[in-house]
mmCIF file with all atom_site columns, all heavy atoms in Angstrom:
data_model
loop_
_atom_site.group_PDB
_atom_site.id
_atom_site.type_symbol
_atom_site.label_atom_id
_atom_site.label_alt_id
_atom_site.label_comp_id
_atom_site.label_asym_id
_atom_site.label_entity_id
_atom_site.label_seq_id
_atom_site.pdbx_PDB_ins_code
_atom_site.Cartn_x
_atom_site.Cartn_y
_atom_site.Cartn_z
_atom_site.occupancy
_atom_site.B_iso_or_equiv
_atom_site.pdbx_formal_charge
_atom_site.auth_seq_id
_atom_site.auth_comp_id
_atom_site.auth_asym_id
_atom_site.auth_atom_id
_atom_site.pdbx_PDB_model_num
ATOM 1   N N   . TYR A 1 56 ? -6.814  -18.391 -7.264  1.00 96.00 ? 56 TYR A N   1
ATOM 2   C CA  . TYR A 1 56 ? -8.155  -18.947 -7.049  1.00 96.00 ? 56 TYR A CA  1
ATOM 3   C C   . TYR A 1 56 ? -8.847  -18.265 -5.866  1.00 96.00 ? 56 TYR A C   1
ATOM 4   O O   . TYR A 1 56 ? -10.025 -17.911 -5.939  1.00 96.00 ? 56 TYR A O   1
ATOM 5   C CB  . TYR A 1 56 ? -8.046  -20.454 -6.824  1.00 96.00 ? 56 TYR A CB  1
ATOM 6   C CG  . TYR A 1 56 ? -9.367  -21.130 -6.590  1.00 96.00 ? 56 TYR A CG  1
ATOM 7   C CD1 . TYR A 1 56 ? -10.300 -21.246 -7.618  1.00 96.00 ? 56 TYR A CD1 1
ATOM 8   C CD2 . TYR A 1 56 ? -9.688  -21.656 -5.345  1.00 96.00 ? 56 TYR A CD2 1
ATOM 9   C CE1 . TYR A 1 56 ? -11.519 -21.867 -7.403  1.00 96.00 ? 56 TYR A CE1 1
ATOM 10  C CE2 . TYR A 1 56 ? -10.904 -22.282 -5.123  1.00 96.00 ? 56 TYR A CE2 1
ATOM 11  C CZ  . TYR A 1 56 ? -11.817 -22.388 -6.155  1.00 96.00 ? 56 TYR A CZ  1
ATOM 12  O OH  . TYR A 1 56 ? -13.021 -23.003 -5.947  1.00 96.00 ? 56 TYR A OH  1
ATOM 13  N N   . GLN A 1 57 ? -8.107  -18.057 -4.777  1.00 97.00 ? 57 GLN A N   1
ATOM 14  C CA  . GLN A 1 57 ? -8.685  -17.386 -3.605  1.00 97.00 ? 57 GLN A CA  1
ATOM 15  C C   . GLN A 1 57 ? -9.083  -15.957 -3.940  1.00 97.00 ? 57 GLN A C   1
ATOM 16  O O   . GLN A 1 57 ? -10.129 -15.470 -3.498  1.00 97.00 ? 57 GLN A O   1
ATOM 17  C CB  . GLN A 1 57 ? -7.702  -17.399 -2.445  1.00 97.00 ? 57 GLN A CB  1
ATOM 18  C CG  . GLN A 1 57 ? -7.575  -18.749 -1.782  1.00 97.00 ? 57 GLN A CG  1
ATOM 19  C CD  . GLN A 1 57 ? -6.596  -18.734 -0.631  1.00 97.00 ? 57 GLN A CD  1
ATOM 20  O OE1 . GLN A 1 57 ? -5.858  -17.776 -0.439  1.00 97.00 ? 57 GLN A OE1 1
ATOM 21  N NE2 . GLN A 1 57 ? -6.600  -19.815 0.127   1.00 97.00 ? 57 GLN A NE2 1
ATOM 22  N N   . ASN A 1 58 ? -8.256  -15.251 -4.718  1.00 96.00 ? 58 ASN A N   1
ATOM 23  C CA  . ASN A 1 58 ? -8.594  -13.881 -5.107  1.00 96.00 ? 58 ASN A CA  1
ATOM 24  C C   . ASN A 1 58 ? -9.873  -13.851 -5.931  1.00 96.00 ? 58 ASN A C   1
ATOM 25  O O   . ASN A 1 58 ? -10.714 -12.959 -5.764  1.00 96.00 ? 58 ASN A O   1
ATOM 26  C CB  . ASN A 1 58 ? -7.448  -13.249 -5.891  1.00 96.00 ? 58 ASN A CB  1
ATOM 27  C CG  . ASN A 1 58 ? -6.313  -12.815 -4.985  1.00 96.00 ? 58 ASN A CG  1
ATOM 28  O OD1 . ASN A 1 58 ? -6.497  -12.613 -3.792  1.00 96.00 ? 58 ASN A OD1 1
ATOM 29  N ND2 . ASN A 1 58 ? -5.135  -12.689 -5.564  1.00 96.00 ? 58 ASN A ND2 1
ATOM 30  N N   . GLN A 1 59 ? -10.030 -14.826 -6.815  1.00 96.00 ? 59 GLN A N   1
ATOM 31  C CA  . GLN A 1 59 ? -11.245 -14.889 -7.628  1.00 96.00 ? 59 GLN A CA  1
ATOM 32  C C   . GLN A 1 59 ? -12.462 -15.165 -6.757  1.00 96.00 ? 59 GLN A C   1
ATOM 33  O O   . GLN A 1 59 ? -13.521 -14.567 -6.939  1.00 96.00 ? 59 GLN A O   1
ATOM 34  C CB  . GLN A 1 59 ? -11.112 -15.952 -8.713  1.00 96.00 ? 59 GLN A CB  1
ATOM 35  C CG  . GLN A 1 59 ? -12.303 -16.005 -9.650  1.00 96.00 ? 59 GLN A CG  1
ATOM 36  C CD  . GLN A 1 59 ? -12.539 -14.683 -10.364 1.00 96.00 ? 59 GLN A CD  1
ATOM 37  O OE1 . GLN A 1 59 ? -11.607 -14.099 -10.906 1.00 96.00 ? 59 GLN A OE1 1
ATOM 38  N NE2 . GLN A 1 59 ? -13.774 -14.198 -10.355 1.00 96.00 ? 59 GLN A NE2 1
ATOM 39  N N   . GLN A 1 60 ? -12.317 -16.059 -5.778  1.00 97.00 ? 60 GLN A N   1
ATOM 40  C CA  . GLN A 1 60 ? -13.428 -16.349 -4.872  1.00 97.00 ? 60 GLN A CA  1
ATOM 41  C C   . GLN A 1 60 ? -13.814 -15.112 -4.066  1.00 97.00 ? 60 GLN A C   1
ATOM 42  O O   . GLN A 1 60 ? -15.000 -14.824 -3.888  1.00 97.00 ? 60 GLN A O   1
ATOM 43  C CB  . GLN A 1 60 ? -13.069 -17.491 -3.926  1.00 97.00 ? 60 GLN A CB  1
ATOM 44  C CG  . GLN A 1 60 ? -13.105 -18.847 -4.566  1.00 97.00 ? 60 GLN A CG  1
ATOM 45  C CD  . GLN A 1 60 ? -12.801 -19.946 -3.568  1.00 97.00 ? 60 GLN A CD  1
ATOM 46  O OE1 . GLN A 1 60 ? -11.962 -19.784 -2.691  1.00 97.00 ? 60 GLN A OE1 1
ATOM 47  N NE2 . GLN A 1 60 ? -13.498 -21.059 -3.710  1.00 97.00 ? 60 GLN A NE2 1
ATOM 48  N N   . LEU A 1 61 ? -12.825 -14.371 -3.581  1.00 96.00 ? 61 LEU A N   1
ATOM 49  C CA  . LEU A 1 61 ? -13.112 -13.158 -2.819  1.00 96.00 ? 61 LEU A CA  1
ATOM 50  C C   . LEU A 1 61 ? -13.816 -12.115 -3.687  1.00 96.00 ? 61 LEU A C   1
ATOM 51  O O   . LEU A 1 61 ? -14.732 -11.427 -3.223  1.00 96.00 ? 61 LEU A O   1
ATOM 52  C CB  . LEU A 1 61 ? -11.822 -12.580 -2.234  1.00 96.00 ? 61 LEU A CB  1
ATOM 53  C CG  . LEU A 1 61 ? -11.214 -13.369 -1.077  1.00 96.00 ? 61 LEU A CG  1
ATOM 54  C CD1 . LEU A 1 61 ? -9.856  -12.792 -0.711  1.00 96.00 ? 61 LEU A CD1 1
ATOM 55  C CD2 . LEU A 1 61 ? -12.138 -13.375 0.120   1.00 96.00 ? 61 LEU A CD2 1
ATOM 56  N N   . ALA A 1 62 ? -13.411 -11.990 -4.924  1.00 96.00 ? 62 ALA A N   1
ATOM 57  C CA  . ALA A 1 62 ? -14.068 -11.045 -5.840  1.00 96.00 ? 62 ALA A CA  1
ATOM 58  C C   . ALA A 1 62 ? -15.515 -11.461 -6.078  1.00 96.00 ? 62 ALA A C   1
ATOM 59  O O   . ALA A 1 62 ? -16.418 -10.606 -6.101  1.00 96.00 ? 62 ALA A O   1
ATOM 60  C CB  . ALA A 1 62 ? -13.311 -10.969 -7.156  1.00 96.00 ? 62 ALA A CB  1
ATOM 61  N N   . ASP A 1 63 ? -15.764 -12.770 -6.227  1.00 96.00 ? 63 ASP A N   1
ATOM 62  C CA  . ASP A 1 63 ? -17.132 -13.254 -6.416  1.00 96.00 ? 63 ASP A CA  1
ATOM 63  C C   . ASP A 1 63 ? -17.990 -12.999 -5.179  1.00 96.00 ? 63 ASP A C   1
ATOM 64  O O   . ASP A 1 63 ? -19.147 -12.581 -5.286  1.00 96.00 ? 63 ASP A O   1
ATOM 65  C CB  . ASP A 1 63 ? -17.136 -14.754 -6.741  1.00 96.00 ? 63 ASP A CB  1
ATOM 66  C CG  . ASP A 1 63 ? -16.526 -15.061 -8.102  1.00 96.00 ? 63 ASP A CG  1
ATOM 67  O OD1 . ASP A 1 63 ? -16.393 -14.126 -8.919  1.00 96.00 ? 63 ASP A OD1 1
ATOM 68  O OD2 . ASP A 1 63 ? -16.183 -16.235 -8.330  1.00 96.00 ? 63 ASP A OD2 1
ATOM 69  N N   . ILE A 1 64 ? -17.423 -13.244 -3.993  1.00 96.00 ? 64 ILE A N   1
ATOM 70  C CA  . ILE A 1 64 ? -18.154 -13.005 -2.747  1.00 96.00 ? 64 ILE A CA  1
ATOM 71  C C   . ILE A 1 64 ? -18.485 -11.530 -2.600  1.00 96.00 ? 64 ILE A C   1
ATOM 72  O O   . ILE A 1 64 ? -19.605 -11.160 -2.224  1.00 96.00 ? 64 ILE A O   1
ATOM 73  C CB  . ILE A 1 64 ? -17.331 -13.509 -1.542  1.00 96.00 ? 64 ILE A CB  1
ATOM 74  C CG1 . ILE A 1 64 ? -17.265 -15.045 -1.561  1.00 96.00 ? 64 ILE A CG1 1
ATOM 75  C CG2 . ILE A 1 64 ? -17.921 -13.014 -0.224  1.00 96.00 ? 64 ILE A CG2 1
ATOM 76  C CD1 . ILE A 1 64 ? -16.276 -15.627 -0.569  1.00 96.00 ? 64 ILE A CD1 1
ATOM 77  N N   . LYS A 1 65 ? -17.533 -10.660 -2.912  1.00 94.00 ? 65 LYS A N   1
ATOM 78  C CA  . LYS A 1 65 ? -17.769 -9.217  -2.826  1.00 94.00 ? 65 LYS A CA  1
ATOM 79  C C   . LYS A 1 65 ? -18.893 -8.796  -3.764  1.00 94.00 ? 65 LYS A C   1
ATOM 80  O O   . LYS A 1 65 ? -19.780 -8.014  -3.385  1.00 94.00 ? 65 LYS A O   1
ATOM 81  C CB  . LYS A 1 65 ? -16.488 -8.453  -3.160  1.00 94.00 ? 65 LYS A CB  1
ATOM 82  C CG  . LYS A 1 65 ? -16.651 -6.956  -3.066  1.00 94.00 ? 65 LYS A CG  1
ATOM 83  C CD  . LYS A 1 65 ? -15.356 -6.246  -3.411  1.00 94.00 ? 65 LYS A CD  1
ATOM 84  C CE  . LYS A 1 65 ? -15.551 -4.739  -3.373  1.00 94.00 ? 65 LYS A CE  1
ATOM 85  N NZ  . LYS A 1 65 ? -14.338 -4.037  -3.774  1.00 94.00 ? 65 LYS A NZ  1
ATOM 86  N N   . ALA A 1 66 ? -18.888 -9.321  -4.989  1.00 94.00 ? 66 ALA A N   1
ATOM 87  C CA  . ALA A 1 66 ? -19.935 -8.976  -5.954  1.00 94.00 ? 66 ALA A CA  1
ATOM 88  C C   . ALA A 1 66 ? -21.302 -9.442  -5.458  1.00 94.00 ? 66 ALA A C   1
ATOM 89  O O   . ALA A 1 66 ? -22.300 -8.716  -5.577  1.00 94.00 ? 66 ALA A O   1
ATOM 90  C CB  . ALA A 1 66 ? -19.624 -9.587  -7.312  1.00 94.00 ? 66 ALA A CB  1
ATOM 91  N N   . LEU A 1 67 ? -21.358 -10.639 -4.887  1.00 94.00 ? 67 LEU A N   1
ATOM 92  C CA  . LEU A 1 67 ? -22.633 -11.137 -4.363  1.00 94.00 ? 67 LEU A CA  1
ATOM 93  C C   . LEU A 1 67 ? -23.134 -10.298 -3.197  1.00 94.00 ? 67 LEU A C   1
ATOM 94  O O   . LEU A 1 67 ? -24.326 -9.983  -3.104  1.00 94.00 ? 67 LEU A O   1
ATOM 95  C CB  . LEU A 1 67 ? -22.483 -12.602 -3.923  1.00 94.00 ? 67 LEU A CB  1
ATOM 96  C CG  . LEU A 1 67 ? -22.358 -13.625 -5.052  1.00 94.00 ? 67 LEU A CG  1
ATOM 97  C CD1 . LEU A 1 67 ? -22.008 -14.999 -4.479  1.00 94.00 ? 67 LEU A CD1 1
ATOM 98  C CD2 . LEU A 1 67 ? -23.640 -13.700 -5.847  1.00 94.00 ? 67 LEU A CD2 1
ATOM 99  N N   . LEU A 1 68 ? -22.232 -9.919  -2.297  1.00 93.00 ? 68 LEU A N   1
ATOM 100 C CA  . LEU A 1 68 ? -22.637 -9.088  -1.156  1.00 93.00 ? 68 LEU A CA  1
ATOM 101 C C   . LEU A 1 68 ? -23.126 -7.715  -1.616  1.00 93.00 ? 68 LEU A C   1
ATOM 102 O O   . LEU A 1 68 ? -24.113 -7.190  -1.093  1.00 93.00 ? 68 LEU A O   1
ATOM 103 C CB  . LEU A 1 68 ? -21.475 -8.944  -0.173  1.00 93.00 ? 68 LEU A CB  1
ATOM 104 C CG  . LEU A 1 68 ? -21.119 -10.198 0.622   1.00 93.00 ? 68 LEU A CG  1
ATOM 105 C CD1 . LEU A 1 68 ? -19.847 -9.965  1.433   1.00 93.00 ? 68 LEU A CD1 1
ATOM 106 C CD2 . LEU A 1 68 ? -22.264 -10.601 1.533   1.00 93.00 ? 68 LEU A CD2 1
ATOM 107 N N   . GLN A 1 69 ? -22.452 -7.136  -2.596  1.00 92.00 ? 69 GLN A N   1
ATOM 108 C CA  . GLN A 1 69 ? -22.900 -5.843  -3.117  1.00 92.00 ? 69 GLN A CA  1
ATOM 109 C C   . GLN A 1 69 ? -24.260 -5.971  -3.781  1.00 92.00 ? 69 GLN A C   1
ATOM 110 O O   . GLN A 1 69 ? -25.104 -5.089  -3.644  1.00 92.00 ? 69 GLN A O   1
ATOM 111 C CB  . GLN A 1 69 ? -21.870 -5.282  -4.091  1.00 92.00 ? 69 GLN A CB  1
ATOM 112 C CG  . GLN A 1 69 ? -20.622 -4.787  -3.409  1.00 92.00 ? 69 GLN A CG  1
ATOM 113 C CD  . GLN A 1 69 ? -19.567 -4.307  -4.381  1.00 92.00 ? 69 GLN A CD  1
ATOM 114 O OE1 . GLN A 1 69 ? -19.566 -4.694  -5.548  1.00 92.00 ? 69 GLN A OE1 1
ATOM 115 N NE2 . GLN A 1 69 ? -18.663 -3.473  -3.888  1.00 92.00 ? 69 GLN A NE2 1
#
Side-chain angles (χ1 to χ4, degrees):
Y56 180 69
Q57 286 180 349
N58 283 339
Q59 184 59 48
Q60 284 183 322
L61 288 173
D63 292 343
I64 291 170
K65 181 180 177 183
L67 288 172
L68 289 173
Q69 287 177 338

